[in-house]
Amino acid sequence: MGQDRVTAVPSREIGESRFTKYLLVLFVLALLQACATVRPSRPTLPAASSASSPSPPQISSLPKTPEPEKKPLVEQGKIKEENLKERRSVPQAKTKDRPVRSPSSREAPPPIADDSSLIAKITPRTPPQRAASLRLTEEGRKLIEAGDYARALGRLEKTISIDSTNPYGYYYLAQAHFHLGRYQESLNFLDVAESLLSNEPYWLAEVFAIKGENFRALGFSQKADSSYSQALRLNPGNRMAAEGLSNLRGETQPPSR
Amino acid sequence: MRKSRLRALKIFFSILVFFAVGGILLGVWYVKRLEGVVTAKFEGRKWQFPSKIYSDTYLLYPGMNLRGDELLEKLRRLGYRESRDTPKAKGEYRFLHRDGLLEIYLHDFIYPLETFKGMPVRISLQGATVTKMENVDNGEELFSLELEPELVTGLFDRIWEERRLVNLAEVPPPLVRAILAIEDERFYSHRGIDPVAILRASWANLRSGGIVQGGSTLTQQLMKNFFLGDERTLQRKIKEVLMALVAERKYSKEEILQNYLNEIYLGQKGAQGIFGIWEAAQFYFSKELRDLTIGEMAVLAGLIKAPNRYSPYRSVEAATKRRNIVLAKMLEEKLIARSQYESALREIIPQRELVKVANDAPFYVDFLKRELAEIYSHEVLTEEGFRIYTSLDLQLQRIAEKALVDGLKRLEETYPYLRKRGEDDHLEAAIVVIKPQTGEIKAMVGGRDYQKSQFNRVFQARRQPGSTFKPFTYLAALMYGSEEGGKKFSPVTLVDDSPFTWSYEGQEWTPRNYKEEYFGTVTFRAALEKSLNSATVRIAKDVGINKVREMAYRLGINSSLPALPSMVLGGIEVTPLELGGAFSTLANSGVRTQPLAVKQVVDQGGRVLEKRDIQVEKVITPQLAFMVNHLMKGVMDRGTGHGARLQGFDRPAAGKTGTTNDLKDAWFVGYTPELLAVVWVGFDNQSKLGLSGAQAALPIWTEFMKRATAGTPVNDFIPPPGIKIIDIDPASGYRATPRCPQVIREAFIEGEEPSGSCPLHPAPLAQILTAPRTSISWLLSPFLGK
């Protein structure tokens, strides 16, 4: 009876005459404006982009459905996120006296300033929920440092209860779970932390470094390598990633004769 | 003659000896048996300790907004007492309303893994906002403060005995002496029974003509409490005496006294019986034993005779009189000096409000019991004294219960045909409240009256979700696009809402719209906002049923879903709990959590037996989650959920109504970024409800959310990177111009937003010239490319 099709985005045709009139009147203005504005160039993806971020965690409850032929929007969304991070992380990199470099440059990226202090992120403008969440995160961090992972978990779970947009809470939860040997849980928390950290290369590097640690513990060498490498691209000074990568490559190197 | 008499005597004495020996043997056997019973009790498990269920803690931080008098009510429920002066003892508080100062002397509390020592704190308030918190002792500023959880209920067998064991060394000697002075002054000199006391009591009873005095020793009282009932029979009395003698022979005075001090019944707190001296000190004075004054010790000692009659909660006057008798006895026995006696007499017993544990949240507790039953037996739970920490928020629980009960009553008043039509034909409802970020189940109401029906509709009732299932189709459409041709969907994609028939696996199915109203060509958004069946099913057909099903599983539906067209419109069965869990994933930006009710189980020794952590799993991108949330905000603002706005709920929120085709189930699932609630209304026996989700479930949801979110910060869903929000004319699906009569702020994946301006309402030339960018970019879009 009715049409059982879905109409795609229509390309609407505008009367040619109207189109031409507008074009004639505004063409000069358009040229002037087009010359004045500079469209930001889209950065190219790094060569190892497909391997740089780990695949989504396995969902045990899902039935086994065949892979869609078209690349799903989840992956597209992921790529777009990485694009943005790539685009934004470079100009935001805190350097002392060096100018901003584009990611396509062959020179080594500038060192990233230590952005680890959570308390320093609390300013008079910080919303109260975020401030409380950051302080609890700091308490959790101290408990992790002291090796009291169980108590750290309790404290850190409160941080996301108060403010679920606090990426550091998720990061330290991931750390606590990692130390308790719960690698998959750790990776899950890191996924969330990553999606909440948009332009903080220091912290993104930390996230990827621990991802590397988790993958290495789970025996996924290639994923571990990619994660460590991604961390070092974001922050060449990330010690965990550097040591992890070095150990990993040492482990996976064939023994010399 | 003589010989026969002698013989008779011999026989008589033989029989006598026989019976005497027999009696002695029987007596010895009986006493041995009693000894066995006493030993088994003394050396085995003496008492059962019910496990206790606690609510979640209450966290305060600077900048936090409080809901009205929520904090003060919370303090009262936790047993804090208002004081006129600065709080000096644990469990006191003072609220200086004019100065906006709340002073609390916090209780001690044993948390899993750590013990909190109570301290005095000061909270500054500006209106309902916490501005500052500090430790009064050292002036240290506090950036977070946790109020201990509330005791919800105990898991006990027949009666709830609240008891905490102490060693004799932990009981202050004056208290021990006071108890002995008033109850058994010759305790240390008798052997289990006190003939002097018996004689004195008998004389007193004879004179009065009734039983006014007891002559039992402490040991006898202990035996009675351990083994014997309250009936006053000779047989019971003899048994009591024998057992007391046995106990005194086998055990030391100290052991007997210690057991006595832990055993005695000392009051009632609602369903909880207060047993043992430690519990009594807490119940009456909120103090540790070592902190009790002489007067307070005398009160406790005086309670033993008649705990409820002399309870300060019942009558301060009676309690004071009894205390004074005990004090006089203590002075007489030279246990205290005269100065102590006079000082104690001057102590004023405070008038305190009895806050009972009212066994709140019975449906929630049932849910917990089921979870716990998978790990622990009933015996273990009722005897081992576990402490069970949960996610329950009693404040939200009360709000949910009231909203449900009031909502159903209003429905029955508005629609008289819904009123009770039989025992099994009663309008029912269910509410479950979840915190999306953590998966914590904050409240659960499984029905309108637990006393009448304990059936928990939140997790036991499997009902058709109807239109609440539609968002899975829209989400799958945004994520996968159409199966054939790979066409993408966006909120402005035009879809056809006209009648059609779907041929699937040899069967034909014609989805029908509500009231047979069809809207022709509509936008993707409008189809969801108006909950149009035909349009939704067309989209699902295009996307593929398996993708829709996969999306539902991915978000958190656990029930098995048949891959049939009817699934698209919710023609399957789910529980409110799993539906809430699935929508929580959307509310939590695509991160799925596990429903969490039991958080920790700790044994009496403080060992953590069970710990349930928050679990997260990113299952869809935050961009997709945001887009669907943004679409469902439209349901609230313009669509079938608009009634919530008319009822006064104006916070940013997303939601979906649900009505089954046969009008047997009415649903509403709705959430803010911080809180999600699912409401179901219907009949257990599947009678026709005849009302939509908007009519039946939405008002209950709205009432709950208004009160639950009152005073909390207003937060909106935050667009993640990669989302572009632009003004759209819904009529054309293009960027709105100033002439467009209707404008919607629409969310797109960055790069997929329409670039052209609305052709139906082109902007005038002057505006094009002054704001050239939009128009020019539209003009040049064929050259510049998308």
Side-chain angles (χ1 to χ4, degrees):
Chain A
M1 287 182 55
Q3 291 175 354
D4 56 341
R5 62 178 174 84
V6 172
T7 314
V9 179
S11 54
R12 306 211 181 227
E13 291 182 3
I14 300 155
E16 274 196 16
S17 59
R18 200 188 282 181
F19 181 84
T20 312
K21 279 181 195 168
Y22 277 125
L23 199 59
L24 285 169
V25 171
L26 297 166
F27 187 72
V28 173
L29 285 167
L31 277 175
L32 286 171
Q33 201 175 28
C35 292
T37 56
V38 175
R39 281 185 166 247
S41 58
R42 290 190 179 200
T44 53
L45 284 171
S49 64
S50 59
S52 66
S53 78
S55 57
Q58 295 300 312
I59 304 159
S60 57
S61 59
L62 279 181
K64 289 187 179 128
T65 52
E67 284 290 322
E69 288 172 34
K70 187 178 176 313
K71 197 170 191 181
L73 212 58
V74 177
E75 292 302 315
Q76 289 184 9
K78 262 195 166 350
I79 289 169
K80 291 221 167 6
E81 269 188 56
E82 284 166 34
N83 268 339
L84 287 162
K85 283 171 204 159
E86 289 289 327
R87 199 193 307 167
R88 290 181 195 175
S89 67
V90 172
Q92 295 279 334
K94 289 178 187 163
T95 57
K96 281 196 173 167
D97 294 308
R98 291 190 191 180
V100 169
R101 293 165 199 269
S102 73
S104 55
S105 162
R106 293 201 179 179
E107 295 175 24
I112 302 290
D114 188 332
D115 187 31
S116 59
S117 171
L118 296 171
I119 301 300
K121 293 180 188 298
I122 302 174
T123 68
R125 281 191 189 174
T126 307
Q129 282 169 303
R130 174 55 67 96
S133 188
L134 284 171
R135 291 191 190 278
L136 281 169
T137 312
E138 176 65 16
E139 284 180 32
R141 186 193 67 76
K142 285 182 183 155
L143 286 166
I144 291 176
E145 255 178 29
D148 196 344
Y149 307 120
R151 276 178 66 197
L153 272 181
R155 200 73 89 241
L156 291 165
E157 284 176 356
K158 287 189 178 46
T159 68
I160 60 175
S161 182
I162 296 175
D163 181 1
S164 65
T165 62
N166 171 7
Y168 320 105
Y170 289 99
Y171 169 78
Y172 282 109
L173 274 163
Q175 228 192 57
H177 278 289
F178 168 74
H179 285 296
L180 288 166
R182 298 177 200 159
Y183 305 120
Q184 191 51 60
E185 282 88 348
S186 180
L187 285 167
N188 288 343
F189 280 106
L190 289 169
D191 266 349
V192 181
E194 187 189 338
S195 62
L196 291 170
L197 287 164
S198 50
N199 54 358
E200 293 181 72
Y202 176 89
W203 284 98
L204 274 169
E206 294 286 321
V207 164
F208 280 108
I210 298 200
K211 274 195 178 182
E213 297 284 274
N214 279 304
F215 283 129
R216 189 154 70 97
L218 286 167
F220 301 135
S221 308
Q222 211 176 344
K223 286 181 179 172
D225 196 300
S226 304
S227 296
Y228 288 136
S229 304
Q230 178 76 350
L232 289 168
R233 271 193 290 277
L234 288 160
N235 179 14
N238 187 297
R239 216 192 299 174
M240 189 193 297
E243 282 174 13
L245 195 60
S246 163
N247 290 336
L248 182 73
R249 286 181 179 167
E251 285 163 19
T252 52
Q253 282 284 349
S256 55
R257 294 191 184 184
Chain B
M1 234 348 231
R2 238 187 179 175
K3 268 190 183 171
S4 63
R5 213 184 269 179
L6 235 100
R7 209 167 149 225
L9 269 168
K10 268 189 189 168
I11 293 168
F12 174 73
F13 278 116
S14 303
I15 294 170
L16 201 65
V17 165
F18 174 78
F19 275 106
V21 167
I24 289 166
L25 282 173
L26 197 67
V28 167
W29 169 83
Y30 187 64
V31 169
K32 276 284 176 202
R33 191 169 149 261
L34 286 179
E35 196 178 313
V37 170
V38 169
T39 309
K41 185 72 171 179
F42 266 70
E43 287 165 29
R45 169 182 289 287
K46 296 186 199 62
W47 296 288
Q48 291 180 337
F49 297 90
S51 294
K52 289 191 262 200
I53 293 178
Y54 290 94
S55 71
D56 206 357
T57 58
Y58 186 78
L59 193 69
L60 292 161
Y61 53 87
M64 179 178 175
N65 286 327
L66 305 170
R67 284 184 223 119
D69 281 335
E70 178 188 12
L71 182 51
L72 296 177
E73 277 172 30
K74 182 86 176 173
L75 288 173
R76 278 184 221 117
R77 285 203 306 270
L78 284 169
Y80 285 84
R81 317 172 295 288
E82 195 164 8
S83 151
R84 271 194 219 132
D85 308 310
T86 306
K88 289 189 180 61
K90 288 175 193 178
E92 291 181 350
Y93 77 93
R94 178 170 75 151
F95 183 40
L96 298 167
H97 195 271
R98 241 183 301 171
D99 303 322
L101 281 177
L102 177 60
E103 298 165 328
I104 314 171
Y105 205 134
L106 295 170
H107 284 140
D108 292 341
F109 193 79
I110 302 171
Y111 289 98
L113 303 176
E114 55 193 317
T115 301
F116 177 77
K117 278 282 165 208
M119 60 187 181
V121 297
R122 187 180 296 124
I123 300 172
S124 306
L125 296 160
Q126 199 167 24
T129 306
V130 175
T131 53
K132 191 181 174 184
M133 303 188 297
E134 57 186 333
N135 180 335
V136 173
D137 277 346
N138 58 16
E140 183 195 344
E141 193 172 356
L142 302 168
F143 295 104
S144 67
L145 192 63
E146 211 167 7
L147 282 184
E148 66 266 30
E150 291 178 58
L151 176 58
V152 179
T153 192
L155 300 176
F156 50 90
D157 217 351
R158 291 171 301 110
I159 53 169
W160 185 354
E161 293 188 5
E162 194 60 23
R163 177 185 280 110
R164 188 164 133 182
L165 301 183
V166 289
N167 291 323
L168 189 57
E170 293 173 76
V171 186
L175 176 56
V176 177
R177 288 198 289 267
I179 290 171
L180 292 177
I182 201 72
E183 290 293 323
D184 188 356
E185 55 190 306
R186 279 170 291 280
F187 174 72
Y188 281 107
S189 49
H190 65 63
R191 296 289 196 160
I193 55 172
D194 185 355
V196 174
I198 293 171
L199 281 169
R200 191 193 64 230
S202 304
W203 176 242
N205 295 335
L206 211 65
R207 280 176 66 189
S208 68
I211 298 177
V212 296
Q213 209 178 97
S216 302
T217 60
L218 238 60
T219 320
Q220 281 175 267
Q221 288 180 48
L222 182 63
M223 295 304 110
K224 186 190 87 175
N225 291 343
F226 266 172
F227 308 108
L228 309 163
D230 276 331
E231 70 274 11
R232 293 179 181 191
T233 61
L234 187 63
Q235 189 190 1
R236 199 228 78 197
K237 201 71 189 172
I238 292 170
K239 217 171 167 181
E240 180 191 293
V241 165
L242 286 173
M243 284 175 124
L245 292 168
V246 164
E248 289 269 355
R249 202 165 61 82
K250 280 211 75 143
Y251 300 102
S252 67
K253 289 287 184 187
E254 284 70 32
E255 278 174 294
I256 292 169
L257 189 51
Q258 182 169 298
N259 277 301
Y260 178 82
L261 292 170
N262 284 313
E263 164 57 32
I264 36 172
Y265 172 64
L266 284 165
Q268 199 68 26
K269 184 182 179 186
Q272 276 175 290
I274 304 297
F275 289 80
I277 203 72
W278 188 93
E279 267 322 312
Q282 290 293 324
F283 176 51
Y284 292 107
F285 304 112
S286 299
K287 282 187 179 182
E288 293 291 323
L289 288 168
R290 60 176 176 269
D291 299 326
L292 292 170
T293 63
I294 296 289
E296 288 163 349
M297 291 182 200
V299 170
L300 292 184
L303 280 168
I304 296 171
K305 186 177 171 185
N308 294 314
R309 197 191 325 158
Y310 298 130
S311 167
Y313 287 108
R314 186 173 164 272
S315 165
V316 169
E317 199 187 326
T320 310
K321 272 190 186 154
R322 179 67 183 159
R323 177 201 69 183
N324 295 348
I325 292 170
V326 175
L327 284 171
K329 186 75 179 170
M330 289 169 81
L331 181 69
E332 184 192 315
E333 299 290 321
K334 295 188 174 58
L335 302 173
I336 51 173
R338 179 153 281 274
S339 57
Q340 286 176 299
Y341 168 73
E342 277 162 13
S343 169
L345 281 179
R346 283 194 294 272
E347 285 176 33
I348 296 173
I349 298 176
Q351 177 77 54
R352 290 172 63 160
E353 190 195 333
L354 179 62
V355 177
K356 297 178 206 173
V357 174
N359 197 12
D360 284 331
F363 285 107
Y364 197 106
V365 170
D366 271 1
F367 181 73
L368 292 169
K369 280 183 190 171
R370 273 183 182 252
E371 242 188 85
L372 294 165
E374 288 170 16
I375 324 165
Y376 306 108
S377 67
H378 175 75
E379 287 73 32
V380 163
L381 286 173
T382 55
E383 292 172 15
E384 297 287 339
F386 292 162
R387 294 161 73 91
I388 298 154
Y389 299 88
T390 72
S391 307
L392 172 61
D393 181 328
L394 278 170
Q395 186 82 358
L396 291 180
Q397 178 71 26
R398 285 194 182 90
I399 295 171
E401 283 167 357
K402 188 164 193 313
L404 188 147
V405 167
D406 289 351
L408 289 181
K409 275 190 195 147
R410 261 196 299 275
L411 281 173
E412 286 169 336
E413 279 161 22
T414 312
Y415 306 98
Y417 72 88
L418 294 173
R419 286 180 201 152
K420 189 172 175 179
R421 301 172 285 202
E423 273 314 308
D424 295 329
D425 210 5
H426 202 188
L427 185 63
E428 277 290 354
I431 299 183
V432 62
V433 181
I434 298 173
K435 198 167 169 61
Q437 298 80 18
T438 56
E440 289 169 296
I441 303 174
K442 305 308 289 181
M444 182 187 289
V445 188
R448 71 191 294 174
D449 189 340
Y450 183 80
Q451 301 303 324
K452 293 211 172 105
S453 163
Q454 292 88 52
F455 180 55
N456 191 326
R457 291 152 192 85
V458 168
F459 72 95
Q460 291 181 289
R462 300 179 57 74
R463 304 293 296 221
Q464 292 194 357
S467 310
T468 55
F469 209 76
K470 283 176 181 159
F472 301 123
T473 295
Y474 288 81
L475 185 54
L478 290 171
M479 182 154 154
Y480 296 115
S482 77
E483 212 164 29
E484 291 172 17
K487 283 179 291 215
K488 284 186 191 171
F489 285 91
S490 81
V492 296
T493 303
L494 292 179
V495 295
D496 189 1
D497 181 57
S498 56
F500 84 106
T501 299
W502 187 349
S503 299
Y504 188 85
E505 292 181 354
Q507 305 235 338
E508 288 196 337
W509 180 57
T510 304
R512 299 203 186 285
N513 277 8
Y514 185 61
K515 291 182 181 172
E516 296 282 349
E517 266 188 275
Y518 297 87
F519 291 79
T521 304
V522 296
T523 60
F524 187 85
R525 166 180 280 284
L528 180 59
E529 284 182 5
K530 291 184 167 64
S531 199
L532 303 177
N533 289 347
S534 195
T536 304
V537 172
R538 274 213 175 84
I539 294 171
K541 184 170 181 284
D542 231 31
V543 170
I545 283 198
N546 285 322
K547 300 254 175 29
V548 175
R549 188 172 72 158
E550 188 231 314
M551 187 56 68
Y553 286 146
R554 186 188 277 248
L555 258 55
I557 297 292
N558 296 315
S559 295
S560 179
L561 302 173
L564 296 171
S566 53
M567 179 198 71
V568 173
L569 298 182
I572 37 97
E573 286 185 341
V574 297
T575 65
L577 181 60
E578 67 180 316
L579 198 64
F583 277 83
S584 285
T585 307
L586 291 172
N588 195 25
S589 305
V591 176
R592 178 175 165 179
T593 54
Q594 290 302 317
L596 204 59
V598 172
K599 284 165 84 167
Q600 300 214 53
V601 180
V602 179
D603 70 11
Q604 275 195 303
R607 202 163 47 114
V608 177
L609 302 174
E610 194 76 21
K611 187 174 187 297
R612 306 268 169 94
D613 298 313
I614 292 171
Q615 291 179 60
V616 298
E617 189 182 357
K618 188 173 156 192
V619 295
I620 57 170
T621 63
Q623 290 80 13
L624 274 177
F626 180 84
M627 286 180 73
V628 173
N629 291 339
H630 197 66
L631 286 169
M632 287 204 285
K633 276 174 80 175
V635 171
M636 305 289 297
D637 297 334
R638 287 173 296 277
T640 53
H642 184 58
R645 302 299 188 210
L646 298 173
Q647 221 178 305
F649 182 73
D650 49 17
R651 286 179 176 247
K656 186 73 193 75
T657 49
T659 315
T660 46
N661 280 346
D662 46 16
L663 297 171
K664 286 181 183 173
D665 301 85
W667 296 80
F668 191 76
V669 187
Y671 48 94
T672 65
E674 276 96 28
L675 199 66
L676 176 142
V678 182
V679 175
W680 167 86
V681 179
F683 288 92
D684 289 340
N685 64 359
Q686 302 274 359
S687 293
K688 188 170 167 175
L689 177 64
L691 297 171
S692 67
Q695 290 170 303
L698 181 62
I700 295 174
W701 180 92
T702 308
E703 195 50 42
F704 167 76
M705 287 298 274
K706 273 167 66 178
R707 295 187 58 205
T709 57
T712 59
V714 178
N715 286 327
D716 201 350
F717 299 97
I718 300 171
I723 283 285
K724 190 90 178 179
I725 297 186
I726 58 172
D727 287 343
I728 290 287
D729 182 338
S732 66
Y734 276 85
R735 289 174 180 263
T737 70
R739 277 194 174 162
C740 292
Q742 212 188 348
V743 175
I744 292 178
R745 289 193 70 73
E746 197 58 88
F748 297 89
I749 299 288
E750 197 163 359
E752 292 181 13
E753 69 273 23
S755 51
S757 288
C758 176
L760 302 177
H761 312 98
L765 186 64
Q767 271 147 336
I768 291 170
L769 292 173
T770 54
R773 179 182 280 279
T774 308
S775 308
I776 289 162
S777 60
W778 165 71
L779 282 168
L780 294 180
S781 60
F783 303 101
L784 297 171
K786 226 182 171 179

